């Protein structure tokens, strides 16, 4: 009986195993490094768009379209018809901050959910959120001080810091967490740093030029009191320094293709930006060219930061 039972059991087909479970939505999100990278890139684009809408507020004279902060008016968090188109433009710029915050918030959550959670990306995403809060506070101070040109400049420069942080965030999503390895020697590292510092100096002096010029954001807003021609000349000197360093980098980095290509791209942006700057100066600052020049400053800053990160790399840890 036992032999027959064994033969009968052997003749029976094996019990089919349960089909593998389809990964759920949360499972897919926990293994989505490409989506993290896209969200990191979105922080760069979002900050550049904030810069562009900010200059639209200033050039349209809508800087006090919402005359107080954090509310738009004393009685409303949103714009009211009495402030007309200026209120809509300024309030629209404020709303864009929430869009950027949503992108950053999604990046923070997704970075935290990853199975292979990277501490560096967690901190970089949190830094973006902290920068948005700082940007909102500086923007509020700018409104409450009646568009003081120094706070307006600080408002713009905080955006440049956020663009830098966004680029670092995006760049780190595409490399490993191993120790930093240099592609070039010490002198060329300092050349890359000098190019980025010169780009930052050019942008800082550019904000002083803006604070001395006619486009204040409101007819009653104060100006720095500096001679516009003098600060424009200082700005041009900073531009010449930046272009000279960049041309030097084209030759110095010729043995490192990734760095040489980054410097070449930066040089093209600098020449285009310089052309727009000179044309807007000699045509008495038409608003469209001023807007293009400010947008060009943000783009130039992205390309300058890119140079800094092409001279080193980080391998993936085993």
């Amino acid at each position: 009986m036992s032999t027959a039972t064994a033969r009968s059991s052997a003749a029976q087909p094996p019990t089919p195993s349960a089909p593998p479970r389809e990964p759920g939505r949360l499972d897919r999100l926990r293994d989505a490094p490409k989506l993290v990278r896209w969200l990191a890139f979105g922080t760069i684009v979002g900050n550049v768009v904030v810069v562009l809408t900010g200059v639209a507020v200033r050039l349209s004279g809508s800087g006090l379209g919402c005359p107080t902060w954090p509310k738009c008016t004393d009685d409303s968090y949103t714009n009211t018809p009495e402030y007309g188109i200026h209120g809509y433009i300024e309030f629209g710029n404020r709303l864009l901050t929430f869009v950027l915050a949503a992108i950053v918030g999604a990046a923070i959550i997704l970075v935290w959910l990853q199975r292979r959670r990277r501490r560096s990306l967690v901190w970089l995403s949190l830094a973006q959120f902290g920068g948005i809060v700082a940007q909102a506070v500086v923007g509020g101070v700018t409104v409450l001080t009646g568009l003081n040109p120094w706070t307006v400049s600080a408002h713009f420069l905080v955006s440049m810091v956020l663009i830098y942080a966004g680029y670092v965030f995006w760049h780190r999503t595409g490399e490993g967490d191993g120790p930093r390895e240099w592609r070039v020697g010490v002198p060329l590292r300092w050349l890359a740093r000098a190019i980025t510092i010169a780009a930052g100096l050019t942008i800082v002096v550019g904000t002083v030029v803006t604070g001395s010029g006619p486009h204040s954001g409101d007819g009653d807003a104060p100006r720095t009191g500096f001679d516009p021609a003098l600060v424009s000349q200082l700005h041009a000197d900073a531009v010449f320094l930046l272009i000279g360093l960049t041309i030097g980098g084209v030759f110095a980095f010729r043995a490192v293709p990734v760095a040489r290509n980054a410097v070449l791209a930066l040089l093209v942006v600098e020449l285009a930006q310089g052309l727009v700057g000179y044309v807007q100066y000699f045509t008495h600052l038409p608003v469209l060219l001023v807007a293009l020049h400010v947008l060009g400053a943000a783009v130039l800053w992205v390309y300058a930061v890119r140079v800094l990160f092409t001279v080193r790399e980080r391998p993936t840890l085993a």
Side-chain angles (χ1 to χ4, degrees):
M1 291 292 295
S2 60
T3 303
T5 302
R7 289 176 180 174
S8 176
S9 299
Q12 292 179 357
T15 302
S17 59
R21 184 177 67 88
E22 290 291 332
R25 184 174 301 175
L26 181 59
D27 294 317
R28 291 193 293 268
L29 288 178
R30 293 187 66 193
D31 189 21
K34 290 184 178 179
L35 182 55
V36 172
R37 187 165 175 80
W38 274 109
L39 286 173
F41 184 74
T43 65
I44 302 174
V45 175
N47 280 299
V48 172
V49 173
V50 167
V51 169
L52 186 58
T53 58
V55 75
V57 169
R58 182 166 57 84
L59 294 175
S60 63
S62 305
L64 295 178
C66 286
T68 189
W69 186 86
K71 292 183 177 181
C72 184
T73 68
D74 290 333
D75 302 318
S76 175
Y77 281 97
T78 62
N79 58 300
T80 56
E82 64 182 295
Y83 289 98
I85 187 63
H86 296 306
Y88 287 101
I89 293 174
E90 165 62 9
F91 185 69
N93 183 53
R94 293 189 182 189
L95 283 180
L96 193 59
T97 300
F98 291 98
V99 176
L100 180 59
I103 296 173
V104 172
I108 293 172
I109 294 171
L110 192 60
V111 166
W112 186 261
L113 286 175
Q114 296 304 289
R115 285 191 177 89
R116 182 174 172 264
R117 186 183 301 157
R118 299 173 59 184
R119 182 180 301 178
S120 60
L121 298 187
V122 172
W123 284 112
L124 286 169
S125 60
L126 290 173
Q128 279 286 311
F129 182 77
I132 292 174
V133 174
Q135 179 74 301
V137 172
V138 174
V141 173
T142 300
V143 172
L144 296 176
T145 57
L147 305 183
N148 182 286
W150 298 110
T151 58
V152 172
S153 296
H155 195 41
F156 177 80
L157 293 176
V158 171
S159 288
M160 296 298 103
V161 173
L162 281 171
I163 289 173
Y164 175 87
Y167 187 91
V168 177
F169 182 26
W170 173 79
H171 186 84
R172 293 288 284 116
T173 62
E175 63 181 7
D177 289 318
R180 182 172 54 188
E181 297 176 358
W182 295 100
R183 293 188 174 110
V184 298
V186 174
L188 294 186
R189 296 177 209 171
W190 280 106
L191 176 58
R193 292 167 185 153
I195 290 172
T196 307
I197 292 171
L201 176 64
T202 301
I203 291 172
V204 170
V205 179
T207 65
V208 180
V209 176
T210 299
S212 307
H215 300 297
S216 61
D218 186 81
D220 298 326
R223 302 280 76 200
T224 63
F226 294 141
D227 180 6
L230 176 60
V231 291
S232 295
Q233 182 59 56
L234 292 174
H235 181 56
D237 293 340
V239 170
F240 288 137
L241 172 63
L242 173 60
I243 291 177
L245 289 171
T246 306
I247 292 174
V250 171
F251 294 98
F253 293 117
R254 62 185 181 277
V256 186
V258 63
R260 180 201 59 201
N261 293 339
V263 174
L264 277 172
L266 174 62
L267 180 61
V268 172
V269 175
E270 289 169 359
L271 294 177
Q273 178 74 337
L275 177 62
V276 174
Y278 273 107
V279 172
Q280 71 161 1
Y281 180 79
F282 289 110
T283 56
H284 306 293
L285 306 176
V287 292
L288 290 179
L289 285 181
V290 173
L292 183 61
H293 196 54
V294 175
L295 175 62
V299 174
L300 184 147
W301 181 233
V302 172
Y303 277 85
V305 175
R306 178 190 175 201
V307 170
L308 191 63
F309 282 86
T310 57
V311 297
R312 91 314 181 266
E313 59 185 339
R314 288 182 184 270
T316 301
L317 290 175

